């Protein structure tokens, strides 16, 4: 009897929350197609691609919007940073997680030290880094150097955790068997260890790419002259309001979603290959 | 690595917050001046009030997020039996985690604004005659938006721990005569504490550090602790920003430390 009430009730609640999570995005996406004289709200006036064209500098119509003209550049910069961050923090995460396969002296403290970047408020880390550059080293702030570093300090703990989870679920006897059968250290690593780590590596890429692409709190003080897309959007939101902000929001969200879905699909394929139990697979993906 | 990029900046931040500032440059001279700006001459009332207000909001949002996320995680882990369906719904639930929180926040503006969807719908239906101006730029709006911002951080960790409870344990408790409510209170809930704690940790750090939501959804009327840092930086008062950041970091790390004492994250992995 009880089961009959709880299931539809919880199901309905799940649906309601999902509506709140996704509804606003669809509203924004719809509004991004408003016409040149359309407002920031409904109803749409002569719907079309006007603001998309405007953002890419194809159809200016004499509208002067200094911010919109920089969106494309910021988007491009964010993408480059995200790709480099993905590579660096995954490699760093792998080395760190590798070290944690065996207990070593001070491993407990080191574990929490590694997590510091995740559990300290981002704004404090960003400000601290800004202080180091400004007052200690005297280096200029730049998107490709200082901002990149601030992103790595944020994504690294996630990569480390994801890969550590992967190592913990890992059957060591497979490696030992390979070694017993005469494979060298490097061959074992290349043919046994790494392939088993692929789901973890992909998940690590997923976290580092998306977290870097959307990073705001740490970037804001170390950004320099040229912005990344999240800092640009917030700057614009406090200045002039134009539908271009919805265009950027829609484009970046669609881009993130595409990357996420592709990576999740790759992880799933990979995990299916190594045949874990369904419960374990879910843990890999949600970690 | 972390030492270089995280610990050193935090140490520098703390150290510099005790240094004297002149002409926008720090001088190597110990002072409590910056903290005086935070605490002295009755400023402490506002500081303390804001800190408490921020913590209060964090607690309210966290409570709502836990209440909101728990049924979803429970429903997915225990009541959806098909593994494929489970994976799909879970992924839909936590997909927003990987998209930008800045954008997820801004998308609420066209819904709650004076000429937004809610107001124009209500106007068209004739339920109200003038737009409700307090939909956006209000405390309620901030809580609503923050709930949807952070709820995705909670569903995943709770699901993870509930899904790991073996079916045998659940059945055994019923076989031994426990009621469903008793089973939930004595088995499911205690076993989901690590998940809830992990979620709290994530959400709390995000809420503390967030000055964008008070600015955009709160319209600047609701000053949160992180707003201090943003404001002092905009006025180039670096030393003051440093002092505020140090206080915030200490407060946050203290709470995270307490959380880590109740749950050993390393063992959970």
């Amino acid at each position: 009897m009880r089961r009959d009430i709880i299931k539809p009730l919880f199901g309905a609640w799940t649906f309601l929350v999902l509506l709140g999570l996704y509804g606003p995005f669809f509203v924004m996406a719809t509004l991004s197609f408003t016409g040149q004289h359309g407002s920031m709200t409904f109803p749409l006036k002569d719907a079309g691609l006007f603001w998309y064209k405007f953002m890419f500098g194809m159809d200016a119509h004499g509208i002067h919007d200094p911010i919109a003209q920089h969106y494309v550049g910021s988007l491009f910069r964010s993408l480059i940073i995200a790709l480099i961050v993905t590579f660096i923090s995954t490699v760093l995460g792998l080395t760190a997680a590798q070290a944690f396969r065996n207990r070593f002296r001070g491993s407990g403290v080191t574990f929490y030290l590694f997590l510091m970047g995740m559990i300290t408020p981002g704004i404090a880390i960003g400000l601290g880094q800004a202080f180091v550059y400004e007052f200690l080293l005297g280096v200029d702030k730049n998107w490709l150097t200082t901002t990149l570093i601030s992103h790595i300090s944020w994504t690294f703990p996630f990569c480390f955790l994801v890969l550590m989870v992967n190592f913990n679920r890992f059957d060591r006897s497979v490696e030992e068997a390979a070694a017993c059968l005469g494979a060298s250290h490097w061959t074992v690593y290349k043919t046994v260890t790494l392939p088993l780590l692929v789901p973890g590596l992909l998940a690590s890429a997923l976290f580092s790419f998306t977290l870097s692409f959307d990073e705001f709190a740490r970037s804001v003080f170390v950004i320099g002259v040229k912005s990344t897309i999240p800092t640009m959007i917030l700057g614009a939101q406090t200045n002039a309001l134009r539908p271009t902000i919805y265009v950027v929001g829609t484009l970046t969200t669609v881009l993130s979603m595409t990357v996420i879905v592709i990576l999740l699909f790759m992880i799933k394929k990979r995990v299916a290959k190594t045949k874990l139990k369904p419960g374990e697979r879910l843990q890999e993906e949600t970690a | 690595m972390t030492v270089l990029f995280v610990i050193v900046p935090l140490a520098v931040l703390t150290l510099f917050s005790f240094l004297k500032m002149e002409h926008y440059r720090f001088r190597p001279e110990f002072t409590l001046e910056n903290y005086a700006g935070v605490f002295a001459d009755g400023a402490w009332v506002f500081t303390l009030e804001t800190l408490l207000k921020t913590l209060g909001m964090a607690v309210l949002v966290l409570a709502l997020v836990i209440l909101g996320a728990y049924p979803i995680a429970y429903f997915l882990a225990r009541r959806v039996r098909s593994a494929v369906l489970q994976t799909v719904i879970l992924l839909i639930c936590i997909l927003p985690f990987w998209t930008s929180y800045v954008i997820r926040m801004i998308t609420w503006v066209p819904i709650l604004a004076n000429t937004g969807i809610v107001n124009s719908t209500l106007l068209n239906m004739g339920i109200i005659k003038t737009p409700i101006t307090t939909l956006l730029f209000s405390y309620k709006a901030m809580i609503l938006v923050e709930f949807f911002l952070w709820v995705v951080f909670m569903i995943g960790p709770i699901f993870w721990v509930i899904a790991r409870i073996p079916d045998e344990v659940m059945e055994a408790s019923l076989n031994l005569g426990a009621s469903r409510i008793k089973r939930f209170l004595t088995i499911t809930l205690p076993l989901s504490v690590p998940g809830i704690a992990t979620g709290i940790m994530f959400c709390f750090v995000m809420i503390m550090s967030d000055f964008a939501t008070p600015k955009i959804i709160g319209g600047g009327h609701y000053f949160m602790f992180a707003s201090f840092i943003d404001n002092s930086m905009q006025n180039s008062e670096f030393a003051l920003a440093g002092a505020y950041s140090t206080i915030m970091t200490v407060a946050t790390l203290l709470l995270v430390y307490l959380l880590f004492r109740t749950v050993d994250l390393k063992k959970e992995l």
Side-chain angles (χ1 to χ4, degrees):
Chain A
M1 186 59 207
R2 215 179 155 73
R3 186 168 294 243
D4 297 334
I5 308 168
I6 282 188
K7 196 168 174 176
L9 206 70
F10 283 16
W13 173 243
T14 308
F15 177 77
L16 208 70
V17 171
L18 284 178
L19 195 72
L21 285 174
Y22 286 89
F25 170 69
F26 288 112
V27 170
M28 174 182 71
T30 316
L31 283 171
S32 72
F33 292 107
T34 194
Q36 185 185 349
H37 302 292
S39 63
M40 298 284 287
T41 49
F42 287 98
L44 294 183
K45 276 182 200 151
D46 31 76
L49 287 172
F50 177 81
W51 293 105
Y52 284 83
K53 288 181 187 159
F54 175 77
M55 204 185 88
F56 285 96
M58 290 191 292
D59 203 348
H61 274 276
I63 303 171
H64 183 63
D65 188 347
I67 290 169
Q69 277 136 14
H70 293 298
Y71 276 139
V72 183
S74 314
L75 196 61
F76 189 60
R77 282 191 284 276
S78 278
L79 268 176
I80 294 178
I81 293 183
L83 286 173
I84 304 176
V85 166
T86 303
F87 179 75
I88 298 180
S89 50
T90 302
V91 171
L92 287 173
L94 180 63
T95 13
Q98 187 92 39
F100 271 85
R101 292 186 75 183
N102 301 308
R103 269 175 183 276
F104 54 90
R105 272 188 74 173
S107 62
V109 179
T110 318
F111 178 78
Y112 290 109
L113 267 185
F114 277 175
L115 294 196
M116 279 292 274
M118 188 166 85
I119 58 181
T120 318
I123 191 169
I125 293 182
L127 191 65
Q129 291 183 344
F131 274 25
V132 172
Y133 301 135
E134 191 107 357
F135 302 113
L136 219 60
L137 301 176
V139 283
D140 284 332
K141 289 177 261 184
N142 181 283
W143 62 278
L144 202 49
T145 51
T146 53
T147 313
L148 190 88
I149 289 173
S150 75
H151 286 196
I152 293 175
S153 68
W154 170 226
T155 54
F156 166 76
F158 288 90
C159 298
F160 165 65
L161 279 184
V162 165
L163 283 161
M164 209 177 107
V165 170
N166 203 162
F167 271 125
N168 283 355
R169 306 250 179 289
F170 192 105
D171 192 356
R172 247 169 221 248
S173 55
V174 192
E175 282 178 312
E176 280 156 16
C180 284
L181 292 170
S184 71
H185 241 41
W186 171 238
T187 316
V188 173
Y189 196 75
K190 203 175 62 180
T191 58
V192 180
T193 316
L194 272 184
L196 281 174
L197 282 180
V198 170
L201 290 173
L202 289 170
S204 156
L206 172 66
F207 274 98
S208 43
F209 183 90
T210 52
L211 289 175
S212 160
F213 190 66
D214 306 325
E215 161 49 35
F216 167 71
R218 284 158 194 77
S219 319
V220 71
F221 298 128
V222 291
I223 192 76
V225 188
K226 291 185 168 163
S227 313
T228 54
I229 201 76
T231 47
M232 198 78 187
I233 290 174
L234 265 174
Q237 180 73 15
T238 42
N239 293 328
L241 276 176
R242 282 210 192 276
T244 35
I245 203 157
Y246 296 155
V247 175
V248 185
T250 311
L251 283 179
T252 48
T253 310
V254 168
L255 203 137
S256 302
M257 290 279 186
T258 316
V259 173
I260 297 162
V261 170
I262 291 173
L263 278 170
L264 284 177
F265 190 72
M266 283 165 76
I267 294 173
K268 195 178 169 271
K269 249 177 108 178
R270 199 68 212 190
V271 174
K273 246 187 189 170
T274 46
K275 279 184 214 145
L276 288 168
K277 277 177 248 149
E280 283 183 303
R281 178 169 78 218
L282 283 167
Q283 286 161 17
E284 297 282 343
E285 285 168 4
T286 53
Chain B
M1 261 299 300
T2 7
V3 172
L4 208 62
F5 296 155
V6 179
I7 314 295
V8 169
L10 287 177
V12 168
L13 187 73
T14 314
L15 184 74
F16 276 35
S17 68
F18 288 105
L19 292 186
K20 201 173 170 66
M21 186 163 214
E22 267 180 10
H23 304 293
Y24 302 115
R25 283 277 148 211
F26 284 101
R27 279 185 34 204
E29 192 182 314
F30 179 84
T31 176
L32 285 173
E33 223 168 63
N34 308 318
Y35 287 90
V38 176
F39 292 113
D41 294 337
W44 64 272
V45 178
F46 189 52
T47 307
L48 195 69
E49 200 187 291
T50 311
L51 185 63
L52 288 178
K53 218 168 61 183
T54 311
L55 288 175
M57 193 190 71
V59 169
L60 177 60
V61 171
L62 280 171
L64 290 174
V65 162
I66 294 169
L67 284 177
Y70 202 93
I72 299 177
Y74 183 84
F75 168 70
L76 278 175
R78 287 280 146 209
R79 294 297 158 93
V80 180
R81 279 299 166 197
S82 134
V84 180
L85 201 63
Q86 197 180 47
T87 317
V88 170
I89 303 180
L90 180 69
L91 281 182
I92 297 175
C93 284
I94 57 176
L95 208 61
F97 171 82
W98 289 300
T99 63
S100 168
Y101 100 87
V102 172
I103 292 171
R104 286 205 289 136
M105 175 181 60
I106 286 178
T107 50
W108 282 95
V109 176
I111 295 179
L112 301 175
N114 286 353
T115 51
I117 291 189
V118 174
N119 266 324
S120 51
T121 313
L122 291 178
L123 279 173
N124 287 343
M125 285 166 70
I127 297 174
I128 49 170
K129 292 223 163 53
T130 47
I132 308 168
T133 48
T134 52
L135 279 182
L136 195 63
F137 303 149
S138 68
Y139 193 69
K140 276 182 212 136
M142 267 169 60
I143 300 292
L144 175 80
V145 172
E146 297 228 7
F147 171 79
F148 284 109
L149 282 183
W150 314 127
V151 74
V152 286
F153 289 65
M154 195 63 86
I155 298 175
I158 298 182
F159 171 83
W160 188 6
V161 287
I162 298 184
R164 275 200 310 190
I165 304 174
D167 284 342
E168 299 84 49
V169 173
M170 303 292 272
E171 278 157 28
S173 62
L174 284 192
N175 291 342
L176 291 172
S179 68
R180 282 175 190 280
I181 294 171
K182 190 163 183 205
R183 176 179 75 174
F184 176 77
L185 289 177
T186 54
I187 296 179
T188 320
L189 199 59
L191 283 175
S192 29
V193 167
I196 297 175
T198 313
I200 290 180
M201 188 194 77
F202 275 123
C203 296
F204 184 72
V205 174
M206 297 302 280
I207 294 172
M208 281 303 277
S209 176
D210 178 28
F211 62 88
T213 311
K215 205 166 172 176
I216 288 172
I217 303 295
H221 304 307
Y222 300 91
F223 212 72
M224 288 299 144
F225 202 77
S227 320
F228 277 131
I229 303 172
D230 183 40
N231 277 19
S232 354
M233 279 306 274
Q234 278 179 6
N235 300 331
S236 297
E237 290 171 305
F238 303 118
L240 199 62
Y244 281 124
S245 297
T246 307
I247 295 170
M248 178 204 259
T249 309
V250 170
T252 312
L253 287 181
L254 203 69
L255 201 119
V256 173
Y257 169 75
L258 290 176
L259 279 174
F260 274 148
R261 282 191 54 158
T262 55
V263 47
D264 188 354
L265 191 64
K266 215 171 150 205
K267 274 204 194 114
E268 293 302 322
L269 297 174

